[in-house]
Amino acid sequence: QPPDIARKTNHSQQAVDRYIKDYERVKFLVRRGIEPAQIQHMTGRGKSVIEQYIEIIEHYHPDNGND
């Protein structure tokens, strides 16, 4: 749960909610075949953040982000 994540990572609840929202947006865009540079532009997040989200997606959603 997000409150548990916030507590365990010493991040604010607001930050955790933003991370989750951004991750879901990136997953949605990856699923539609959008290139990382375009995802970066569309989300306003940095290159390294997008790369990290894509690594997580590839690891936990190897079927290209589909649940």
Side-chain angles (χ1 to χ4, degrees), residues 23-36 39 53-67:
Y23 173 78
E24 291 299 329
R25 287 177 67 199
V26 171
K27 189 168 73 167
F28 176 84
L29 295 168
V30 166
R31 189 180 300 166
R32 276 146 186 77
I34 307 298
E35 294 295 321
I39 294 172
Y53 283 148
I54 291 172
E55 285 180 23
I56 293 168
I57 291 164
E58 289 172 348
H59 184 266
Y60 290 101
H61 303 277
D63 55 346
N64 198 24
N66 294 318
D67 291 327

Side-chain angles (χ1 to χ4, degrees), residues 5-53:
I5 295 168
R7 189 181 76 259
K8 290 178 181 179
T9 61
N10 292 319
H11 286 84
S12 70
Q13 180 67 51
Q14 182 180 11
V16 170
D17 291 343
R18 186 178 70 245
Y19 300 150
I20 292 169
K21 180 181 173 185
D22 288 345
Y23 173 78
E24 291 299 329
R25 287 177 67 199
V26 171
K27 189 168 73 167
F28 176 84
L29 295 168
V30 166
R31 189 180 300 166
R32 276 146 186 77
I34 307 298
E35 294 295 321
Q38 187 66 17
I39 294 172
Q40 181 182 346
H41 177 73
M42 294 170 79
T43 62
R45 296 292 168 223
K47 180 180 178 180
S48 64
V49 171
I50 299 304
E51 289 171 348
Q52 289 174 1
Y53 283 148

